[in-house]
Amino acid sequence: MSEIAEAELRKISGGFNPDKGNWFHRGLDLSRPTEITPEEIAAFKGHYGSQFGVPMSGLDWWLDQSPEVLKRYRLYCSLTLRVEPAVMGGGTLAFYMLMGYVKGTRYVMHSFLNDGLSKAQAMEMIAIAFVHAGPRGMETIAEAMQDLDFPEVPEPAARFPQGWAPDIDAFRSGIDYSTVDLTAEEKASLYDWYLRTIGEIPPYVRFMAEHRPRLLKTHRSRIENMLYVLPKQVWPTAMLYYHVMSRTAEGIRENVLLCKAWGVSKSDTLDVVGNALVYGQVEAATMVQNEAGDVFDGWQD
């Protein structure tokens, strides 16, 4: 790579921030969408190869066919990212796993490795994704994780947004994990957890409590014993990301409320939504408005 290309690649680490005059993102100068230089092309390819471990041949295709399409796409995507990088929910992982997209799954996990996640944290990220990705998704992750090893103690460690921290007790509703039967007392305790935490009881909770209480209890048993080392805020951000990305309206409100209750900023929550629109596209924003528009309207950071 030329010295010029290396200089362009270094600009990536400065953080895309057009408000401060920095329009460089992943090696591309997004202030000039109708133009592209050989140095930008080299820097863009170098970014994916170095940070994510795999070339993105689908995106590279646009470099030859229509760089303007690629640049306008990356501008749309980049505006959903934090100016100060930090590990968020990683909701793309479940989506890629479920789709059987091995390359994309490895891309996400490689980015977690570069971000400084420990092996224990990476396993919890996969556990979150497994909730929706199921056995098919685990076949994908098993293939994608070949020869990809996470350190027990990374240096430097991953950075999360300010105020994010592990808190397994925040998930605990008071149910007894040693049985599968949901008692009347446990049902009341679970309802109380939702009311205290997000202020309402999601419809699926009432339905399952009445008609399939064992399934509800074993679902809760999974999520109440999952995040020991990751910040608790990773759960709702990952879930919100997945539901917007996959256009599943029913999962949006609960996780927006949980983000708010657990100290995820309004800005970061909106960034999660915006980033998920890369796949959900703008139509999915209608679901967010319908399901949680009132929450965002009254939310003051």
Side-chain angles (χ1 to χ4, degrees):
M1 186 182 295
S2 69
E3 290 183 3
I4 296 176
E6 289 178 353
E8 296 300 300
L9 188 57
R10 285 195 296 273
K11 289 181 181 179
I12 298 168
S13 62
F16 175 78
N17 190 350
D19 293 335
K20 294 185 177 181
N22 180 11
W23 284 80
F24 279 88
H25 177 69
R26 299 187 177 177
L28 300 178
D29 181 357
L30 301 182
S31 69
R32 299 183 298 111
T34 61
E35 305 172 29
I36 195 166
T37 66
E39 290 76 23
E40 286 179 86
I41 292 172
F44 182 76
K45 291 182 176 180
H47 171 80
Y48 282 94
S50 61
Q51 181 169 345
F52 300 112
V54 292
M56 297 299 289
S57 55
L59 297 182
D60 290 348
W61 186 83
W62 284 114
L63 293 170
D64 296 322
Q65 302 300 321
S66 180
E68 180 179 359
V69 172
L70 176 63
K71 282 195 171 186
R72 295 196 186 281
Y73 163 75
R74 285 313 320 169
L75 179 59
Y76 172 77
C77 296
S78 61
L79 288 171
T80 69
L81 302 175
R82 289 172 53 96
V83 174
E84 293 296 330
V87 178
M88 299 283 282
T92 314
L93 183 59
F95 187 78
Y96 284 168
M97 286 169 60
L98 186 58
M99 297 294 290
Y101 182 23
V102 175
K103 188 174 183 179
T105 300
R106 186 174 178 87
Y107 167 110
V108 174
M109 294 307 299
H110 197 280
S111 70
F112 286 154
L113 179 63
N114 278 348
D115 286 338
L117 261 65
S118 68
K119 182 176 182 178
Q121 289 172 327
M123 293 305 102
E124 289 186 354
M125 284 289 195
I126 296 172
I128 295 172
F130 181 40
V131 171
H132 286 103
R136 180 184 183 182
M138 290 311 302
E139 290 290 326
T140 307
I141 197 73
E143 184 175 350
M145 287 291 288
Q146 291 183 20
D147 304 318
L148 194 60
D149 296 320
F150 283 76
E152 298 290 344
V153 182
E155 186 61 43
R159 292 179 55 198
F160 295 94
Q162 186 176 3
W164 289 32
D167 183 6
I168 191 65
D169 289 336
F171 292 87
R172 301 282 169 80
S173 64
I175 62 174
D176 178 4
Y177 309 124
S178 68
T179 74
V180 297
D181 292 313
L182 184 71
T183 66
E185 292 77 13
E186 288 176 323
K187 176 182 172 181
S189 180
L190 185 56
Y191 279 11
D192 181 64
W193 183 90
Y194 280 102
L195 291 172
R196 285 186 291 105
T197 307
I198 64 173
E200 58 190 52
I201 302 171
Y204 76 88
V205 174
R206 292 188 184 276
F207 177 83
M208 294 176 71
E210 293 301 321
H211 301 290
R212 283 295 182 268
R214 285 185 168 186
L215 291 182
L216 177 60
K217 182 172 180 176
T218 51
H219 167 73
R220 287 294 311 189
S221 181
R222 291 179 73 186
I223 69 171
E224 292 186 19
N225 295 280
M226 190 176 292
L227 301 193
Y228 294 93
V229 294
L230 282 176
K232 66 181 179 183
Q233 293 87 354
V234 170
W235 173 268
T237 51
M239 289 294 160
L240 178 59
Y241 200 118
Y242 174 80
H243 290 303
V244 175
M245 178 175 276
S246 61
R247 301 188 185 188
T248 309
E250 291 78 7
I252 292 173
R253 183 175 182 84
E254 175 184 351
N255 288 291
V256 169
L257 289 169
L258 201 51
C259 282
K260 184 177 180 181
W262 281 355
V264 181
S265 70
K266 180 180 180 180
S267 177
D268 281 346
T269 305
L270 287 169
D271 280 349
V272 169
V273 171
N275 204 241
L277 293 180
V278 171
Y279 279 100
Q281 278 304 312
V282 293
E283 297 86 354
T286 296
M287 298 191 313
V288 178
Q289 171 63 26
N290 290 342
E291 299 296 325
D294 62 315
V295 181
F296 284 111
D297 290 344
W299 189 342
Q300 300 294 326
D301 268 343

